[in-house]
Amino acid sequence: KRNISYIILDGMLALDSVQNLSIASKKDVLDGLSNSELKYINQSMSSYSGTYLTLASIMIMDYPVLPSSPKYLNTRNFFPRMMTQQKTELPLISLLKRANSSLFWSGNSWASCNSSDQWSCINSFSELATKNSSKFYLSTPFVMIYKRIFNTLRQSSINQFLEYIDKFGAPKTPFFAFIHHFSPHSPHLVTNECEPVSSSKYFNRNFEGYKASYGCVLKTIETFMKKVNNIDPEAIVIFQGDHGWYKLDIDFTKEEKSLFRGKIFNAIKAPDICFEKYGLPRTNVNSIRFALNCAYGFKLPYLQNTHYQSFYEEDLHYGAVIKKNIYK
């Protein structure tokens, strides 16, 4: 039995896309990932274009909403609200219990970990950060003020997990770490060297800000893998986006936006025999199935590689999803 670190990089675009946009060199990134024993999987796509649905698909290991489903009215049954709304155990938690593996959750300012006897929280945030209005505040200068005063709205869930390991040591029994790293998603608060930017540089930096945040994430991946390869060389590690990104001060068409939203970064460290036996997982749903099969010997079949476009509340199509052919 192997430990699993499943790390969501919020808004992490696929390498082909960032190379086309001159954000990063695909060859350089692949070389770095290879040195960290990570296999990058081309043509990967998110389950959905929205975080709350994609992360829900990981928790239930399936697609929670299909084009044929009735329209949903709110996000009550999706991540993160589903973590407290569910009356029955989520499929992921049930399977972890069958494997005698414990769940550790490292959340962020958008979706903090809720205390439960079904998992252990790596971090917790103030009441302010967990309110439904938190996404609004994260798009305003208020977050800079709050962050500087209280130092609680932290994006780097990866670093918080590493700090936890440094303080308490790695769990002695098999564990599954779910780490929702809120970057390179906006607000873009760091340089490509992961140094914090001043508040005066916060505004009007969509492209340069995303580019810097993307570079910082790559450095954070390297740091994480050095630690894990040292203390837990047999661990399975997955880094992947929950959706792509298109808010880059570029005049994308509506169709281009939907495609950019579906193309995600996806890099996995696992034994070669698992890739040979289960194939390359190209979606969030299949990646979680791959991880459990590889670590615990389950025989969960892959689902069809599919991406569904979802919509924001202000859109007339909110509550429905559309199947999109991402790689034509």
Side-chain angles (χ1 to χ4, degrees):
K1 291 185 177 180
R2 300 169 185 265
N3 297 320
I4 301 173
S5 290
Y6 196 112
I7 303 161
I8 289 295
L9 305 172
D10 208 303
M12 192 78 168
L13 257 174
L15 289 182
D16 286 332
S17 298
V18 296
Q19 174 158 289
N20 291 338
L21 295 169
S22 300
I23 291 174
S25 162
K26 182 175 181 179
K27 181 182 182 303
D28 291 345
V29 175
L30 289 178
D31 289 344
L33 295 177
S34 178
N35 291 336
S36 296
E37 301 180 40
L38 287 162
K39 178 191 291 289
Y40 183 78
I41 302 176
N42 286 304
Q43 294 195 332
S44 293
M45 66 191 82
S46 61
S47 301
Y48 294 89
S49 59
T51 300
Y52 59 90
L53 286 172
T54 291
L55 299 196
S57 75
I58 293 170
M59 293 298 159
I60 70 170
M61 305 171 62
D62 203 341
Y63 295 99
V65 180
L66 299 173
S68 58
S69 301
K71 274 192 172 185
Y72 54 86
L73 301 177
N74 52 53
T75 61
R76 179 184 181 90
N77 295 320
F78 311 125
F79 191 90
R81 297 175 68 185
M82 67 189 307
M83 305 303 283
T84 56
Q85 299 290 345
Q86 292 287 333
K87 296 181 180 179
T88 58
E89 272 188 1
L90 295 165
L92 174 59
I93 294 174
S94 297
L95 287 173
L96 290 176
K97 285 185 176 181
R98 281 177 54 187
N100 293 318
S101 181
S102 53
L103 173 62
F104 286 79
W105 176 4
S106 182
N108 54 54
S109 54
W110 177 73
S112 61
C113 179
N114 304 304
S115 298
S116 172
D117 57 4
Q118 298 186 76
W119 55 74
S120 299
C121 290
I122 297 298
N123 49 17
S124 60
F125 292 87
S126 69
E127 182 68 20
L128 170 68
T130 61
K131 289 184 181 296
N132 292 335
S133 59
S134 63
K135 271 208 164 181
F136 166 77
Y137 284 116
L138 286 175
S139 64
T140 71
F142 179 80
V143 69
M144 298 298 299
I145 302 171
Y146 193 89
K147 179 176 181 288
R148 289 178 180 277
I149 296 175
F150 298 103
N151 195 30
T152 56
L153 293 184
R154 302 168 67 190
Q155 290 176 298
S156 187
S157 301
I158 294 175
N159 288 338
Q160 291 177 73
F161 180 76
L162 294 178
E163 290 168 7
Y164 179 91
I165 296 298
D166 286 339
K167 185 174 182 180
F168 300 105
K172 304 303 180 184
T173 56
F175 69 91
F176 179 102
F178 179 71
I179 303 170
H180 183 190
H181 189 72
F182 202 60
S183 188
H185 192 288
S186 61
H188 308 302
L189 305 176
V190 294
T191 67
N192 61 350
E193 296 294 330
C194 298
E195 295 294 328
V197 297
S198 64
S199 57
S200 62
K201 294 182 179 179
Y202 173 70
F203 297 100
N204 300 321
R205 56 191 306 271
N206 285 355
F207 181 82
E208 292 301 325
Y210 183 83
K211 181 177 181 179
S213 294
Y214 201 100
C216 174
V217 169
L218 294 176
K219 289 186 177 297
T220 305
I221 289 173
E222 181 181 0
T223 299
F224 184 90
M225 292 307 299
K226 283 182 179 178
K227 183 78 167 182
V228 169
N229 287 338
N230 181 43
I231 66 173
D232 192 4
E234 300 299 313
I236 295 169
V237 183
I238 297 177
F239 290 98
Q240 68 182 200
D242 56 340
H243 54 72
W245 197 253
Y246 62 82
K247 300 177 181 179
L248 300 169
D249 297 331
I250 297 174
D251 190 20
F252 291 119
T253 66
K254 190 173 183 180
E255 180 65 12
E256 286 173 333
K257 287 181 178 180
S258 66
L259 295 181
F260 266 73
R261 195 76 175 182
K263 298 178 179 180
I264 60 169
F265 181 98
N266 187 17
I268 300 176
K269 179 191 175 184
D272 288 339
I273 191 172
C274 288
F275 291 112
E276 295 167 5
K277 186 173 183 179
Y278 304 113
L280 300 178
R282 301 187 186 278
T283 62
N284 306 100
V285 168
N286 287 333
S287 292
I288 186 62
R289 289 169 173 252
F290 170 88
L292 297 189
N293 288 344
C294 183
Y296 309 130
F298 290 120
K299 298 179 180 179
L300 304 168
Y302 281 0
L303 303 183
Q304 184 179 12
N305 290 329
T306 306
H307 170 80
Y308 294 106
Q309 181 182 359
S310 56
F311 302 91
Y312 292 110
E313 287 86 344
E314 63 271 16
D315 196 290
L316 292 176
H317 298 291
Y318 177 72
V321 299
I322 300 173
K323 184 177 179 180
K324 299 291 292 188
N325 185 5
I326 296 300
Y327 295 99
K328 298 180 180 180

